[in-house]
Amino acid sequence: MVDQSSGLSKVKDSLTQKLFLGNEPNAELIAILTVYFVQGILGLSRLAVSFFLKDELLLSPVQVSALLGIVFLPWMIKPVFGFISDGLPIFGYRRRPYLILSGILGTASWISLATIVHTSWAATLAIALGSLSVAMSDVIVDSLVVERARGESQAKAGSLQSLCWGASAIGGLITAYFSGLLLQYFTTRTVFGITALFPLIVSGVAWLIAESPVSKDAQDSEQTNSLPIKHQLGQLRQAISQKTIWLPTAFIFIWQATPNADSAFFYFTTNELHFEPEFLGRVHLVGSFASLAGVWIFQRFLKNIPFRVIFAWSTVLSSILGMTMLLLVTHTNRLLGIDDHWFSLGDSLILTVMGKIAFMQVMVLAARLCPSGVEATLFALLMSIYNSAGTVSHAFGALITYWLGITATNFESLWILVVITNLSTLLPLPFINWLPAEEQTETPKDNEQAFLPDLMSELILREPESEIVE
């Protein structure tokens, strides 16, 4: 009996180390991972949204870029959700009710797209509601993660972040190929109807969150789970007024605000290269595998490497590899004997791996900054700055696309857009000294803020490639 118990214990320890990366599995962790998983699986609708805007609403590349910038607004105001969650409990709970509400909003948005949306303004509103749903649930689970990560070593916090974003990548992996395959046999509205089922999973697992009512906690402990909004603002002001926070944050904003050519390139691949939805699903499948590879590489080799080193190399390499798109838009790859399809797959693989590696380290560092009681608020503030830069990026991209005269059928100047967008990613490098050069391991001084210790030297807000419409 003792041997059997010992054997089961060894199996459990092995699963904890290998499957959960050393994090003790419990109901709340399963709930957190499920929410991240659903965020990934909502990628099922990504291609359907793009084709819906292009083929059914007949929007131009410039209009699509502008629309995506608008629907990204909920990700820019994530601190608002953090304030609400931290400061305004529902029936005494700060996390569970908001997760339930986010799932309901998500389902409502996709049902609307599947049934009553027929104009660009209605589509913008419905997609923005879906974006709001994901942003709200993201704030809540992020706060739960930082509660666990605070006080942990950098490696342990990195393992938790790797586990969470690995769950998101697996969700994306499962639905990546089907996002294109379903469009071969069903309409975009049917895909929206299927997608509407998944946000309800978030509402269901919300009941697994281990949370006691705020009033009860206040009686049992001097530290309450909810701080007055005035107190939250005070702590946030203390944090963001420090140079070690706002300089790296400003750098990341500049870096992420450079223009992108995503919308124009989608029109090029579908209207000029005539890529079918099924193949685009394969591209997303490759991207999902690449995301998992990026998570693994970060967890295995890079989680203790200073951000400046990783950022500098990833930026330069991404810019160089991005220039290879010139071969595709000028059809030079055909002269080299490289098929359009294979060229697209290879480029997507490498760029996604590097993007995910960059994302992982930022999430770890941002999580460890957050003070007790305002976890959702501060973390959301840091991330929303990055997301705001994404909106600026889409706006710049739309403006340049308009200036170059790129339309749904005219791609003569697309190569210029590719050059501009790739070279612009190098613009922040002269300011790289705004980022800390290496990890600081010293103990914080007594006069420093209690929640801003050793990681001030590493604050590097560089969040992942934001998925605007999921």
Side-chain angles (χ1 to χ4, degrees):
M1 179 67 84
V2 175
D3 291 341
Q4 183 179 6
S5 177
S6 177
L8 290 175
S9 179
K10 289 181 179 179
V11 171
K12 180 182 177 181
D13 291 341
S14 178
L15 288 175
T16 298
Q17 292 298 323
K18 295 180 179 179
L19 186 60
F20 292 95
L21 304 181
N23 297 279
E24 187 67 26
N26 54 40
E28 183 174 85
L29 181 61
I30 298 301
I32 292 172
L33 296 180
T34 300
V35 174
Y36 281 104
F37 175 79
V38 170
Q39 289 182 9
I41 213 169
L42 288 177
L44 180 69
S45 63
R46 190 179 306 137
L47 278 177
V49 168
S50 298
F51 278 102
F52 178 72
L53 299 177
K54 180 176 79 77
D55 295 334
E56 297 189 36
L57 299 186
L58 304 178
L59 302 184
S60 68
V62 174
Q63 290 173 316
V64 170
S65 289
L67 184 150
L68 293 181
I70 294 173
V71 303
F72 205 42
L73 180 62
W75 292 88
M76 297 169 58
I77 59 172
K78 283 177 66 177
V80 174
F81 309 140
F83 273 122
I84 294 173
S85 172
D86 285 326
L88 297 174
I90 298 178
F91 301 115
Y93 295 95
R94 296 187 300 143
R95 308 296 184 226
R96 196 182 298 160
Y98 289 102
L99 276 181
I100 295 172
L101 179 60
S102 71
I104 295 173
L105 288 176
T107 294
S109 69
W110 293 114
I111 290 178
S112 298
L113 282 167
T115 55
I116 61 175
V117 171
H118 299 287
T119 66
S120 58
W121 286 108
T124 301
L125 181 60
I127 297 172
L129 185 62
S131 183
L132 170 65
S133 165
V134 180
M136 182 183 296
S137 65
D138 191 60
V139 168
I140 301 304
V141 292
D142 282 346
S143 68
L144 294 171
V145 169
V146 298
E147 285 174 0
R148 287 168 170 258
R150 193 195 312 110
E152 299 282 4
S153 65
Q154 180 176 344
K156 184 65 180 293
S159 297
L160 181 57
Q161 292 288 351
S162 296
L163 182 62
C164 292
W165 289 100
S168 178
I170 291 174
L173 181 66
I174 292 175
T175 56
Y177 179 68
F178 292 103
S179 66
L181 183 65
L182 287 176
L183 290 176
Q184 296 287 104
Y185 302 99
F186 302 103
T187 66
T188 56
R189 294 186 184 273
T190 301
V191 176
F192 294 152
I194 296 172
T195 305
L197 300 174
F198 295 111
L200 293 178
I201 298 176
V202 174
S203 298
V205 300
W207 299 100
L208 298 179
I209 300 299
E211 184 178 16
S212 299
V214 171
S215 57
K216 180 179 178 180
D217 289 345
Q219 295 173 0
D220 295 342
S221 171
E222 293 181 359
Q223 292 184 341
T224 66
N225 284 334
S226 178
L227 295 176
I229 291 180
K230 184 177 180 180
H231 189 185
Q232 295 181 50
L233 289 173
Q235 292 214 38
L236 287 174
R237 184 168 56 252
Q238 291 174 354
I240 63 179
S241 64
Q242 298 196 34
K243 197 174 182 179
T244 46
I245 290 183
W246 65 260
L247 270 182
T249 304
F251 178 89
I252 297 305
F253 180 90
I254 296 172
W255 168 58
Q256 186 61 19
T258 55
N260 72 72
D262 292 348
S263 296
F265 201 75
F266 173 76
Y267 278 75
F268 174 76
T269 56
T270 54
N271 290 356
E272 175 75 11
L273 302 183
H274 304 292
F275 285 176
E276 295 293 329
E278 187 269 343
F279 174 75
L280 294 176
R282 293 186 195 179
V283 174
H284 285 166
L285 180 63
V286 169
S288 296
F289 273 116
S291 292
L292 280 175
V295 171
W296 181 82
I297 291 172
F298 171 82
Q299 166 68 20
R300 182 68 177 85
F301 303 108
L302 304 175
K303 62 185 178 183
N304 294 314
I305 294 180
F307 172 68
R308 188 187 293 184
V309 175
I310 295 179
F311 177 83
W313 279 105
S314 64
T315 299
V316 173
L317 290 176
S318 295
S319 180
I320 294 173
L321 290 173
M323 286 296 185
T324 61
M325 283 293 99
L326 290 172
L327 300 178
L328 189 63
V329 300
T330 59
H331 302 299
T332 304
N333 61 296
R334 297 175 182 176
L335 298 178
L336 299 176
I338 304 175
D339 183 77
D340 294 339
H341 296 77
W342 285 109
F343 193 95
S344 297
L345 284 171
D347 187 77
S348 174
L349 174 67
I350 299 173
L351 291 175
T352 303
V353 168
M354 290 193 298
K356 185 59 68 173
I357 290 172
F359 171 60
M360 290 304 305
Q361 191 175 7
V362 166
M363 296 298 289
V364 172
L365 297 170
R368 294 178 61 198
L369 280 175
C370 301
S372 177
V374 288
E375 301 92 355
T377 307
L378 182 56
F379 191 85
L381 174 63
L382 299 176
M383 294 300 99
S384 68
I385 292 173
Y386 170 91
N387 294 327
S388 299
T391 297
V392 175
S393 174
H394 277 277
F396 279 150
L399 188 60
I400 297 173
T401 299
Y402 174 77
W403 282 343
L404 294 176
I406 298 172
T407 67
T409 56
N410 179 15
F411 304 104
E412 291 182 3
S413 301
L414 183 57
W415 70 272
I416 301 178
L417 181 62
V418 170
V419 171
I420 293 174
T421 54
N422 280 284
L423 288 181
S424 67
T425 62
L426 301 175
L427 293 178
L429 290 183
F431 308 102
I432 200 167
N433 286 336
W434 289 3
L435 301 175
E438 56 187 343
E439 180 184 355
Q440 177 181 333
T441 58
E442 301 172 1
T443 303
K445 298 177 182 179
D446 293 338
N447 60 350
E448 291 179 346
Q449 296 300 321
F451 62 93
L452 299 172
D454 50 349
L455 77 152
M456 280 307 90
S457 61
E458 292 187 283
L459 194 221
I460 338 164
L461 285 250
R462 141 193 76 163
E463 224 189 351
E465 335 95 83
S466 298
E467 311 261 346
I468 295 183
V469 180
E470 297 200 300

